[in-house]
Amino acid sequence: MNVDAAVAAMAAIAGLCTGVFAMLAFRWSERDQAKPTRTSLHTEAVLPPGVDTVLSVLRSSAVVLDEADTVVKASSAAYALGLVRGGRLAVEPMLQMARDTRRDGEIRQVELDLPRRGTGRGDALAVSARVAPLGSRLVLLLVEDLTEARRIEAVRRDFVANVSHELKTPVGALSLLSEAVMDASDDPEAVTRFAGRMQNEATRLTNLVQELIDLSRVQNDDPLEDSESVPVDELVAEAVDRCRQQAGTKQITIAAGGTADLQVWGSRGQLAAALGNLVENAVNYSPARTRVGIAGRRVSAPGGDLIEIAVTDQGIGISEKDRDRIFERFYRVDPARSRATGGTGLGLAIVKHVAASHGGEVTVWSAEGQGSTFTLRLPEAGAVRDRERPSDLTAEGLDDEDRPYETFNDPLPAHPAPEVLP
């Protein structure tokens, strides 16, 4: 009986001890959970109410630093720009600005050029940094990326300078020639000669102004407003008609081939101007008694079939250093030839803008002394066909991946010549 009572007493004591330990463990767990973590200190207890929400909607890159220069909060854009690494601000001039602002409370702003991370390129990232105190212990850093704005400003500045120069040349020539005509009023032969030069300069000035208007129009107009299904054959025929006189003067044959009945979607006027510029350049930069080829075909693409229109010449070609710049406004590979042909340096810029506004692109293949191939790629109009129509482009030498269209370098080509448009 005494043994049973002792066992019962010991069991009761053990149960009581277990309950006490369980209660202490529960209280200890609650106390640990109530302690603020390092993350909560940085995002909830340290940041003033509402700051986190405001920083999340700012377009600028935002970084909040505490009194130990530790990053309390940083936006994803700040990490993308490489401003924050390993929880610290990685740009020393910005870090020094933050320290100065924390010391005296003054707002500071500076523009810096930062190296691009992981690109291997030499160009810098232009940013504007602004530092301001945030409460009594924190400092807020806002960084704005100015790289694109600076690039656009440089393009605009160069464009204005180039336009001024291009307009000044024919206007100055007209002024001098008019004085020469007045001085040679008693010499009919000289007057005729000077008048002819004045007419050439006036034509050059007219072409320049017209191409400036065309460039402005393609940059500002939305091609979708008057878009329609445009037959490629009609665009090619219009481009050939536009250059028929220049080609005839140089005895250049313009040959067209490729897949028939292709359709592209867009503004007929803009597309005709773009293709006409490509054909006109091919004629102007080709030697006499050569051939310019125009070929169209359909190619498959992930977003739908594309129409490729390639213009090939046997001209002087384009060097590798010039290839990346030929689509810039007023850039000329051969300025002397451009002056002789009346070129303004805006034709390829117009082609580039038209292609981009129609959801396409323009590319170039070229080799010095072998000619060039400009390829205009545009979305096809209408539904995607189940299978492509047979194409006669193989006969034109289109099976070469590096050069999709034949250059017509052989005076007597072995393959059948494409049909010449009337």
Side-chain angles (χ1 to χ4, degrees):
M1 191 72 175
N2 293 334
V3 175
D4 294 338
V7 171
M10 291 179 63
I13 294 173
L16 179 62
C17 292
T18 301
V20 171
F21 280 117
M23 183 179 65
L24 292 175
F26 178 75
R27 296 294 298 274
W28 186 270
S29 176
E30 283 188 335
R31 182 179 301 177
D32 286 344
Q33 292 180 2
K35 289 181 179 180
T37 63
R38 183 175 182 179
T39 303
S40 65
L41 279 173
H42 284 183
T43 59
E44 297 176 6
V46 177
L47 286 179
V51 173
D52 196 1
T53 303
V54 172
L55 295 181
S56 64
V57 299
L58 287 177
R59 297 182 59 183
S60 305
S61 303
V63 180
V64 178
L65 304 175
D66 62 10
E67 63 273 12
D69 293 333
T70 302
V71 175
V72 176
K73 179 72 177 180
S75 63
S76 58
Y79 286 98
L81 289 178
L83 303 179
V84 179
R85 302 177 193 173
R88 307 287 294 185
L89 187 60
V91 183
E92 184 61 31
M94 296 182 186
L95 185 59
Q96 187 59 47
M97 287 175 56
R99 291 170 179 169
D100 295 341
T101 297
R102 186 185 301 112
R103 183 180 63 254
D104 55 25
E106 292 185 4
I107 298 176
R108 290 175 168 82
Q109 184 170 354
V110 68
E111 291 188 2
L112 301 171
D113 292 332
L114 307 179
R116 292 181 182 268
R117 297 180 55 196
T119 61
R121 296 184 296 178
D123 52 344
L125 192 70
V127 298
S128 174
R130 185 179 179 87
V131 181
L134 185 64
S136 58
R137 301 169 53 192
L138 304 179
V139 173
L140 173 63
L141 171 66
L142 296 178
V143 180
E144 189 77 22
D145 187 357
L146 303 178
T147 306
E148 184 64 16
R150 283 191 180 181
R151 187 193 69 82
I152 294 175
E153 180 60 29
V155 170
R156 182 183 296 110
R157 186 169 55 250
D158 293 342
F159 179 71
V160 172
N162 287 329
V163 169
S164 301
H165 174 74
E166 295 293 337
L167 291 175
K168 182 180 179 180
T169 301
V171 169
L174 287 173
S175 176
L176 292 175
L177 289 170
S178 63
E179 293 179 4
V181 169
M182 294 178 62
D183 294 338
S185 58
D186 55 346
D187 186 352
E189 183 179 350
V191 169
T192 302
R193 184 173 67 254
F194 291 140
R197 294 182 59 183
M198 289 178 65
Q199 187 175 13
N200 292 336
E201 293 296 335
T203 302
R204 178 183 175 186
L205 182 60
T206 301
N207 293 337
L208 175 59
V209 172
Q210 183 59 50
E211 292 208 349
L212 285 172
I213 295 173
D214 293 341
L215 180 60
S216 176
R217 182 180 295 116
V218 300
Q219 287 180 321
N220 297 326
D221 291 353
D222 184 3
L224 298 180
E225 292 182 356
D226 56 349
S227 58
E228 57 181 321
S229 181
V230 183
V232 174
D233 293 339
E234 295 181 7
L235 295 177
V236 173
E238 186 173 339
V240 172
D241 288 339
R242 170 178 169 178
C243 305
R244 189 181 302 279
Q245 182 178 356
Q246 298 97 307
T249 302
K250 300 175 66 175
Q251 299 181 18
I252 293 177
T253 301
I254 303 180
T259 306
D261 300 328
L262 298 176
Q263 303 273 337
V264 293
W265 188 262
S267 169
R268 179 185 293 268
Q270 291 189 17
L271 293 174
L275 186 58
N277 285 344
L278 291 180
V279 177
E280 187 175 10
N281 278 357
V283 171
N284 288 336
Y285 286 90
S286 292
R289 294 179 294 278
T290 57
R291 185 162 61 170
V292 171
I294 311 174
R297 68 172 179 175
R298 183 184 302 108
V299 295
S300 299
D305 288 355
L306 297 176
I307 301 300
E308 286 189 350
I309 308 173
V311 179
T312 303
D313 63 60
Q314 295 175 266
I316 60 177
I318 305 170
S319 64
E320 185 176 357
K321 66 181 182 66
D322 292 320
R323 233 169 284 159
D324 295 333
R325 300 192 58 191
I326 57 175
F327 295 103
E328 296 179 9
R329 287 171 281 194
F330 296 109
Y331 185 80
R332 299 181 178 91
V333 176
D334 188 351
R337 182 181 289 264
S338 294
R339 286 192 295 269
T341 59
T344 62
L346 292 174
L348 291 180
I350 293 175
V351 175
K352 178 181 177 181
H353 282 288
V354 170
S357 63
H358 284 76
E361 63 175 351
V362 59
T363 58
V364 60
W365 179 98
S366 185
E368 292 185 87
Q370 299 184 30
S372 306
T373 295
F374 287 85
T375 303
L376 186 63
R377 295 186 180 91
L378 300 167
E380 183 181 18
V384 178
R385 294 167 174 81
D386 294 334
R387 64 183 182 86
E388 294 185 347
R389 295 178 46 164
S391 172
D392 59 350
L393 296 182
T394 304
E396 299 298 327
L398 299 181
D399 51 349
D400 185 355
E401 295 181 357
D402 294 330
R403 181 169 176 81
Y405 292 89
E406 176 66 304
T407 59
F408 307 114
N409 284 332
D410 297 330
L412 297 175
H415 55 75
E419 179 184 358
V420 179
L421 291 175

